[in-house]
Amino acid sequence: MEYPSIKQFLANTSVYPVLGKALTLENTAQLDFSPSNERLRTVDLSNTEAFNFFVFDELRKQGKAFGIGGYFEHRAIYSRSQVFATAAEDFRDIHMGIDIWAAPLTPLFAPLDGVIHSFQDNAGFGNYGPTIILEHEINDQKLYTLYGHLCLEDLRDIHTGQVIKAGEKIAHIGPFPENGDWPPHLHFQLMWDMMGNWGDFPGVCSHREQEKFQAICPDPAYLIPFLI
């Protein structure tokens, strides 16, 4: 199926930054979780406190409030959880969204008008934890935005079909372990097609599926925005 480019979809549409502010070189560090980062080999990634220290120590050293990276990045950090081992020959380690690493309880905002499509707590070590998916429609084309690793409290008092306006606070970056037991960050992902999913959508794919999912999941940077 042919999908529009995200730039075409957003033409003549105002976008509210998901973090409430644009991410820039002044406030943001690029974090590398690919196999080429040899420093990762010194970290016990199965220990969330150790992993958390690694991430936020890097931000402290660089004097940055946010870390960012990961759109279709080949990652070395998913060995920490069996969530990603769908089959021995088809391990999922290609990250399909963007991660924004920031302090727990950092507020998050809707980038576009829309409605709540679905939400749930995808509990389990290494999973999304609390997750909200919004549905947006412009010129009869739908786009879905996924927010993973939230606070459990964010799932209270919301309902599917709830109208959300651009710039409305929708959630917060969750602390571990309630966020799926990750160092605090937002997993932010776009999907043209939910593929029958509800309250969840794969955030990581195998190398074999990369081309398929890259067509379905456009670059979220245009909705953060980050140096676009």
Side-chain angles (χ1 to χ4, degrees):
M1 180 175 178
E2 288 269 341
Y3 299 106
S5 74
I6 191 65
K7 290 179 72 174
Q8 289 173 332
F9 178 80
L10 295 173
N12 304 314
T13 300
S14 297
V15 173
Y16 193 89
V18 171
L19 272 291
K21 62 182 75 174
L23 302 187
T24 68
L25 291 176
E26 284 69 40
N27 62 17
T28 308
Q30 292 275 0
L31 297 182
D32 178 10
F33 293 108
S34 71
S36 63
N37 185 351
E38 295 186 359
R39 288 192 61 215
L40 284 175
R41 299 174 190 170
T42 69
V43 183
D44 180 3
L45 296 173
S46 66
N47 182 324
T48 306
E49 288 190 5
F51 189 8
N52 183 73
F53 179 83
F54 173 81
V55 170
F56 288 94
D57 186 55
E58 185 63 33
L59 295 184
R60 280 191 294 271
K61 288 176 180 175
Q62 298 192 38
K64 309 295 187 182
F66 308 106
I68 194 167
Y71 179 63
F72 276 86
E73 176 184 67
H74 177 205
R75 287 194 161 180
I77 59 177
Y78 296 122
S79 58
R80 70 191 305 260
S81 173
Q82 288 301 306
V83 166
F84 307 103
T86 51
E89 70 282 0
D90 203 23
F91 191 82
R92 297 188 300 132
D93 58 3
I94 303 294
H95 189 253
M96 291 159 28
I98 281 180
D99 284 338
I100 305 171
W101 309 81
L105 305 185
T106 297
L108 305 169
F109 302 87
L112 303 167
D113 292 345
V115 300
I116 295 178
H117 171 272
S118 53
F119 61 93
Q120 68 180 10
D121 181 16
N122 293 294
F125 182 77
N127 213 325
Y128 280 138
T131 307
I132 295 174
I133 298 173
L134 302 184
E135 178 182 317
H136 316 275
E137 186 169 350
I138 300 176
N139 297 326
D140 298 321
Q141 172 66 53
K142 290 184 178 181
L143 177 74
Y144 302 89
T145 54
L146 181 149
Y147 311 80
H149 311 301
L150 308 177
C151 293
L152 279 169
E153 188 68 21
D154 292 324
L155 303 188
R156 286 177 166 272
D157 302 320
I158 63 174
H159 60 270
T160 57
Q162 179 177 331
V163 174
I164 301 292
K165 303 302 289 183
E168 182 176 342
K169 184 165 67 176
I170 55 169
H172 304 79
I173 290 178
F176 66 88
E178 69 181 65
N179 70 350
D181 221 339
W182 288 90
H185 71 287
L186 168 68
H187 175 92
F188 182 55
Q189 185 169 321
L190 312 185
M191 297 84 65
W192 294 119
D193 185 347
M194 283 296 296
M195 300 174 65
N197 289 280
W198 183 265
D200 194 8
F201 193 93
V204 183
C205 70
S206 68
H207 291 254
R208 178 180 58 84
E209 298 176 307
Q210 184 170 349
E211 184 176 349
K212 165 190 167 183
F213 278 108
Q214 200 153 13
I216 295 171
C217 300
D219 189 347
Y222 290 93
L223 293 181
I224 295 175
F226 178 67
L227 302 178
I228 295 299

